[in-house]
Amino acid sequence: MDEGLVKEVNPYLVTIFNQVLNIEEKALKGSEFKDLSIKEMHTIEAIGMYREHTTSEVAKKTSVTVGTLTVTINNLVKKGYVERIRMDNDRRVVKLGLTNKGRLLYRLHDKFHRDMVKETLGGMSQEEGEALIKGLRNLHDFLARTQQTLNE
Amino acid sequence: MDEGLVKEVNPYLVTIFNQVLNIEEKALKGSEFKDLSIKEMHTIEAIGMYREHTTSEVAKKTSVTVGTLTVTINNLVKKGYVERIRMDNDRRVVKLGLTNKGRLLYRLHDKFHRDMVKETLGGMSQEEGEALIKGLRNLHDFLARTQQTLNE
DNA sequence: GCTTATTATTTTGAATGTCAAATGATTTGA
DNA sequence: TCAAATCATTTGACATTCAAAATAATAAGC
């Protein structure tokens, strides 16, 4: 593999990271959902459209402790985006779900992501698109392995 | 462009973001630089190896306010990674530079990024690698345009 | 040369995000 | 039954962040 490509990929990755976070933050602040931070947005994203995730699961997905998540959820419940449902078969367990307001926001955010990806793939052929996916999959798998190693 | 690809790219991007941050955080904590957070690490990355960036420039690059950056720099100076040099020709301006300790860390972090990218590109042909770059470039340009629009 | 505006940075106060440890509630298993 | 395990919440201490105000230096206009 050409060393020049390696040099080129790195700055793109770094910049893209910052850009995405920055844009999402600004888009939120300019919308009807300005009472939310980007962290809260991503918690809503992790909860998702279907009431199937427990506190522990969402905490793992967002890489925070359950204690931190509980605080976040308290705020989101207060603001009307999330609801807690305690399970009847095991009353220790709480499932998290989005309210109608939460769902509306979820779809909006999802659309932003879709548009971003569509734009990325726009002007690429089917073959190039598949190569991009392959690259992302490689990256994803490498990261998963690395994460595994660090947790041992 | 195939709609299926769009659906596949999105989850990869989201997961990759979280993975990278998580791994970098853990790698730091397990190294001799455990007195640094991931945010501080990225500030050092933005300052770079050559003493040429002002406070304002680095703040813009890392997407925080100058006030926030000043606080961060205060800590990094205290910990011995960064030094401030006030310019003689315009004494309002402060240029930020890395100390030897800072440079050592910078190179270590840079190596991590390079390994990550090498692994990503490993097993890909030259053509596939170029497609990945093209995708990243499209994404980067789209984000830059979006950011521009939001700032108007 | 003075006054005013501009530019660059720092300080401050308030809100949010974070973790580790302690606590509460419930279930499981011996 | 009751001790241990599991799931979630609360609490206390810091870290991170921004907006706004304060400070400082320089430039511009008269």
Side-chain angles (χ1 to χ4, degrees):
Chain A
M1 173 54 59
D2 179 21
E3 180 68 22
L5 285 188
V6 175
K7 280 206 180 71
E8 204 180 340
V9 167
N10 207 0
Y12 275 133
L13 282 179
V14 174
T15 317
I16 286 170
F17 269 43
N18 290 331
Q19 281 173 323
V20 168
L21 287 180
N22 192 244
I23 288 172
E24 288 189 340
E25 178 89 52
K26 279 188 181 152
L28 261 186
K29 287 292 162 59
S31 76
E32 57 180 311
F33 302 107
K34 46 176 124 290
D35 60 335
L36 288 183
S37 73
I38 192 67
K39 303 268 183 184
E40 290 174 320
M41 176 68 247
H42 284 146
T43 303
I44 286 173
E45 187 182 25
I47 292 172
M49 292 295 278
Y50 312 104
R51 181 182 306 138
E52 51 185 2
H53 299 299
T54 65
T55 299
S56 300
E57 284 163 356
V58 174
K60 188 169 186 185
K61 205 170 172 184
T62 53
S63 299
V64 297
T65 62
V66 282
T68 298
L69 187 65
T70 294
V71 176
T72 306
I73 298 297
N74 285 348
N75 285 324
L76 287 175
V77 168
K78 207 179 302 170
K79 291 176 182 171
Y81 292 93
V82 172
E83 53 190 9
R84 289 183 162 103
I85 294 99
R86 206 163 271 275
M87 291 294 94
D88 272 343
N89 56 334
D90 183 344
R91 297 197 48 74
R92 291 171 304 180
V93 177
V94 169
K95 295 233 171 163
L96 301 173
L98 301 182
T99 61
N100 283 338
K101 195 174 165 192
R103 285 159 191 276
L104 183 62
L105 174 56
Y106 181 94
R107 281 189 287 263
L108 208 77
H109 187 252
D110 191 54
K111 181 172 176 356
F112 169 76
H113 271 274
R114 281 172 178 279
D115 288 349
M116 187 173 77
V117 173
K118 266 190 193 138
E119 189 76 22
T120 306
L121 294 175
M124 294 179 79
S125 69
Q126 183 72 22
E127 291 74 34
E128 288 171 328
E130 275 158 14
L132 176 62
I133 301 264
K134 187 171 176 181
L136 290 177
R137 201 180 291 127
N138 281 352
L139 180 54
H140 175 271
D141 292 349
F142 167 67
L143 293 173
R145 281 201 305 281
T146 306
Q147 214 160 23
Q148 191 57 40
T149 307
L150 286 171
N151 283 333
E152 274 163 9
Chain B
M1 174 54 59
D2 180 19
E3 180 68 22
L5 285 187
V6 175
K7 280 206 180 70
E8 203 178 341
V9 166
N10 208 1
Y12 274 131
L13 283 179
V14 173
T15 316
I16 286 170
F17 270 43
N18 290 332
Q19 281 172 323
V20 168
L21 286 180
N22 194 243
I23 288 172
E24 289 190 339
E25 179 88 51
K26 278 187 180 152
L28 260 187
K29 286 292 161 59
S31 77
E32 57 179 310
F33 302 107
K34 45 176 123 291
D35 60 337
L36 288 183
S37 73
I38 191 66
K39 302 271 181 182
E40 290 173 320
M41 176 67 248
H42 283 147
T43 304
I44 286 173
E45 186 182 26
I47 291 172
M49 292 295 277
Y50 311 103
R51 181 181 305 138
E52 50 185 2
H53 298 301
T54 65
T55 299
S56 301
E57 283 164 357
V58 173
K60 188 169 186 184
K61 204 168 172 186
T62 54
S63 300
V64 298
T65 62
V66 282
T68 298
L69 188 65
T70 294
V71 176
T72 306
I73 297 297
N74 286 347
N75 286 324
L76 287 175
V77 168
K78 208 178 299 169
K79 290 175 183 171
Y81 292 92
V82 172
E83 53 190 8
R84 288 183 164 103
I85 293 100
R86 205 164 273 275
M87 292 294 95
D88 273 342
N89 56 335
D90 184 342
R91 295 197 51 74
R92 291 170 304 181
V93 178
V94 169
K95 294 232 170 164
L96 301 172
L98 300 182
T99 61
N100 283 338
K101 195 173 166 192
R103 285 160 190 276
L104 183 62
L105 173 57
Y106 181 94
R107 281 189 286 263
L108 208 78
H109 187 250
D110 191 55
K111 182 172 176 355
F112 170 78
H113 270 274
R114 281 171 178 281
D115 288 350
M116 186 172 78
V117 173
K118 266 190 194 138
E119 188 76 20
T120 306
L121 294 175
M124 295 178 77
S125 69
Q126 184 72 21
E127 292 73 35
E128 289 170 330
E130 275 158 15
L132 176 61
I133 301 266
K134 188 172 176 181
L136 290 177
R137 202 180 290 128
N138 283 353
L139 179 54
H140 175 271
D141 293 350
F142 167 67
L143 293 173
R145 281 201 306 280
T146 306
Q147 213 159 26
Q148 191 58 40
T149 307
L150 285 171
N151 283 332
E152 275 162 10

